[in-house]
């Protein structure tokens, strides 16, 4: 269920425009306030001092949006500010796991917003360092890019719980695990599958990395893979036609004859 949303995006005017085409993932932060602090207090402080900003704050009550996706935030070093969507919990990086788990409403509120971003941009729901993007990374991990020394959201952030909530939101509020290909096919052909369920699982498939057959250590997003196949097949077609023409052969004639021969052979 959607949390209470406070839209303050018209107030946060420092930063500047950025292209959403460059966005590659989510960055998780803590504001370093007591978890009882209302997000409005944090946002007002940031506005008054122009000391920082995020895309969205998550507190116990819901979420507060500071900047839209097409606006530069002041959240990490320069690179992270132009490449990532920033979600900050009104909490502290020093919190223990027990203290985090006590903030269940806040975790769910933040997970809801991150799920919207992962769905919108097709990012996989996985915790990664900056080299592993697209996915969900941290302010701590962006230190690899330089010009920042923060280590939030801290070593005890409950990734297992948080990622489960993000996945649940993407899967339509159920606890469904990402579907295997075989399961999807069974559902597509089975009488018990509902169209809605297939659509939900389809969304999961789009954000679940596909393992390479050639090198199992590598994985791809389905959307990226289709774009790559499209570009590669087009390129191969251009090369091959040019090669045939250079040998005095007509590529269209070869194709038409092959189609004819195939159809006659049934
Ligand atoms: Zn941070």
């Amino acid at each position: 269920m959607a949390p209470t949303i406070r839209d303050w995006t018209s107030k946060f005017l420092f930063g500047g425009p950025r292209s959403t085409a460059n966005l590659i993932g989510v960055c998780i932060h803590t504001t370093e306030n007591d978890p009882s602090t209302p997000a409005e207090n944090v946002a007002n402080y940031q506005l008054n001092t122009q000391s920082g900003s995020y895309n969205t704050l998550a507190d116990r009550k819901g979420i507060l949006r500071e900047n839209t996706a097409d606006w530069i935030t002041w959240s990490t070093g320069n690179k992270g500010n132009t490449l990532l969507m920033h979600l900050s919990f009104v909490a502290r990086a020093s919190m223990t796991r027990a203290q985090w788990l006590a903030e269940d409403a806040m975790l769910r509120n933040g997970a809801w917003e991150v799920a919207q971003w992962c769905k919108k941009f097709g990012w996989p729901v996985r915790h990664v360092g900056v080299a592993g993007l697209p996915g969900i990374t941290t302010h701590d991990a962006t230190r690899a890019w330089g010009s920042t020394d923060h280590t939030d959201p801290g070593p005890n952030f409950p990734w297992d719980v948080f990622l489960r909530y993000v996945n649940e939101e993407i899967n339509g509020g159920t606890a469904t695990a990402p579907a295997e290909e075989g399961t999807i096919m069974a559902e597509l052909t089975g009488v018990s599958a509902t169209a809605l369920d297939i659509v939900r699982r389809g969304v999961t498939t789009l954000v679940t990395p596909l393992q390479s057959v050639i090198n199992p250590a590598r994985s791809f997003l389905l959307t990226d893979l289709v774009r790559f196949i499209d570009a590669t097949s087009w390129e191969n077609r251009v090369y091959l036609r040019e090669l045939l023409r250079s040998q005095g052969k007509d590529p269209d004639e070869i194709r038409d004859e092959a189609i004819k021969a195939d159809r006659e052979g049934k």
Side-chain angles (χ1 to χ4, degrees), residues 164 167-168 171 174-180 183 200-201 204-205 208:
R164 192 172 81 232
N167 273 316
E168 284 178 10
N171 293 326
T174 66
T176 313
E180 298 296 325
T183 315
R200 283 172 179 163
R201 285 169 186 276
T204 307
T205 308
T208 304

Side-chain angles (χ1 to χ4, degrees), residues 194-209:
T194 65
L196 182 62
D197 202 32
I198 291 167
V199 169
R200 283 172 179 163
R201 285 169 186 276
V203 170
T204 307
T205 308
L206 285 177
V207 297
T208 304

Side-chain angles (χ1 to χ4, degrees), residues 92-113:
R92 295 187 197 279
S94 62
M95 281 161 53
T96 64
R97 180 174 171 85
Q99 285 172 321
W100 273 113
L101 296 182
E103 301 299 336
D104 190 65
M106 192 189 295
L107 287 169
R108 287 178 186 273
N109 293 337
W112 184 87
E113 184 75 325

Side-chain angles (χ1 to χ4, degrees), residues 114-123 169-170 203 207:
V114 170
Q116 309 311 308
W117 296 339
C118 287
K119 275 193 282 191
K120 179 175 180 180
F121 297 107
W123 295 328
E169 186 55 45
I170 288 174
V203 170
V207 297

Side-chain angles (χ1 to χ4, degrees), residues 204-222:
T204 307
T205 308
L206 285 177
V207 297
T208 304
L210 300 174
Q211 197 174 41
S212 165
V213 174
I214 304 300
N215 181 355
R218 303 190 63 181
S219 60
F220 314 92
L221 283 181
L222 187 58

Side-chain angles (χ1 to χ4, degrees), residues 6-41:
R6 288 149 282 173
D7 185 359
W8 283 33
T9 54
S10 61
K11 298 186 184 186
F12 277 79
L13 301 176
F14 56 92
R18 71 179 185 183
S19 169
T20 57
N22 296 330
L23 295 175
I24 52 172
V26 176
C27 186
I28 301 293
H29 301 259
T30 50
T31 64
E32 299 309 300
N33 296 90
D34 188 88
S36 64
T37 310
E40 287 90 338
N41 294 17

